[in-house]
Amino acid sequence: MKITGIKVKTVKVPLKEPFHISLGTITHAISAVVKVETDEGLCGYGEGAPGVLITGENLEGTVESIKHFEQSLLGTDPTDIEKVYWILDRAAAHAPCGKTAIDIACYDILGKKAGLPVYKLLGGYSNTIETDITVGINGPEIMAEKAAAHVRNGFDTIKTKVGTGLKEDVARIKAIREAVGPDVKIRIDANQAWSAKEALQIIERLNEYDIELVEQPVKAADFEGLEYVTKNSKVLIMSDESCFNAKDALRLAKRRAIDVLNIKLMKCGGIREALKINAICETAGIECMLGCMAEETNIGITAAASLGAAVRNITRADLDATFSLSNLPFEGGIGTECTKTLVLPEEPGFGFIGLK
């Protein structure tokens, strides 16, 4: 089988409402959807969703990187995942969203060729994964109301954004805990908002309301600060922006700078690199979470959920991006139903059909 062409189309889907984090506001899911075509008639679909607030990439750059990759990939067998990985590695130093789009599409083709859903190819530990659901930054009353509504809808883990100030954050978590009761897990995500010393003080206050873990309390490059917080916090500490690839994961694992690591396909360049990250963490005794960008559609979420369900060391998921979309631009895969249990398609590949 040989790649004969790669088509790319941009999609822009409004969110049901703006999503606020400490780094900024997101209003649309914006991504580059690719179709990898082959000489056997099989095609695979993938997505690069550049979250500029996290990865620094934009849509125009992602599209251009995909077009650049096409020239290097023509004539390559897309089921040779290892070969594809190293061709992409040589073609561009970074560009993780563009690489992710190609990677997902190639795994889609591999599943179709093998006649198996991708979650089985990746390990087959389960065909389902449970996700939390995220509450963006807002007033305490509004956040508490949203969290309570999610619990009524069956969710037992709430992830909430914080990072605008101690007084405001304490009020938010207090209100959420009172609204959801004692049995619901609360995860908080600061998106790099604090210094290490601030983080410990704020986490201690927030833990008065029983929080499960804190995601990315300090700046992405502050590995020393992250290590300091982890070693002095009673609450589990998880990295996000501090880990883009397997090299970052190895640095964090060597320092014991985290308790949990959040893998996102759009940060690391796709499933192949994500498997490396998880293997490093599993060897070091560090559990992983599978996360997503708010800009992703059901293509990226289906791919991420397939990986998260497939391997045992990924014990948590934050794969709620499709719940916020006003509509789906793509048929197949995981839909918009707002439910904590994501069920993987049993069709070969990811179960993708095509753009609507």
Side-chain angles (χ1 to χ4, degrees), residues 24 48 54 78 115 135 138 144 155 189 199 209 247 251 276 321 337-338:
I54 305 298
V135 176
N138 215 313
F155 288 89
D189 184 2
Y209 305 101
K247 292 179 181 178
R251 289 176 61 198
K276 286 169 60 180
E337 183 182 2
C338 191

Side-chain angles (χ1 to χ4, degrees), residues 138-141 143 162-175 194 198 201-203 205-206 208-209:
N138 215 313
E141 297 82 6
M143 293 176 71
V162 294
T164 63
L166 175 60
K167 183 177 180 181
E168 295 91 344
D169 289 340
V170 169
R172 292 178 178 119
I173 303 306
K174 180 177 185 293
W194 307 318
E198 285 175 333
Q201 295 171 351
I202 295 171
I203 291 168
R205 286 292 309 278
L206 297 182
E208 293 174 10
Y209 305 101

Side-chain angles (χ1 to χ4, degrees), residues 303-334:
S306 296
L307 172 60
V311 295
R312 186 174 181 271
N313 193 59
I314 296 177
T315 58
R316 298 169 174 85
D318 178 36
L319 298 174
D320 57 350
T322 57
F323 304 158
S324 302
L325 300 182
S326 58
N327 61 81
L328 285 180
F330 203 84
E331 292 188 70
I334 288 172

Side-chain angles (χ1 to χ4, degrees), residues 122-159:
L122 296 176
Y125 183 72
S126 176
N127 70 334
T128 65
I129 188 168
E130 292 191 356
T131 180
D132 62 24
I133 190 165
T134 305
V135 176
I137 290 176
N138 215 313
E141 297 82 6
I142 295 174
M143 293 176 71
E145 180 181 339
K146 289 181 180 295
H150 293 321
V151 172
R152 289 194 296 272
N153 200 31
F155 288 89
D156 56 17
T157 305
I158 300 296
K159 176 179 168 181

Side-chain angles (χ1 to χ4, degrees), residues 23-60:
L23 296 173
T25 300
I26 300 163
T27 59
H28 291 75
I30 302 174
S31 69
V33 174
V34 304
K35 180 182 181 182
V36 174
E37 300 173 328
T38 72
D39 60 351
E40 293 188 10
L42 288 178
C43 64
Y45 297 97
E47 171 181 49
V52 65
L53 297 177
I54 305 298
T55 68
E57 296 180 280
N58 60 27
L59 186 61
E60 295 77 13

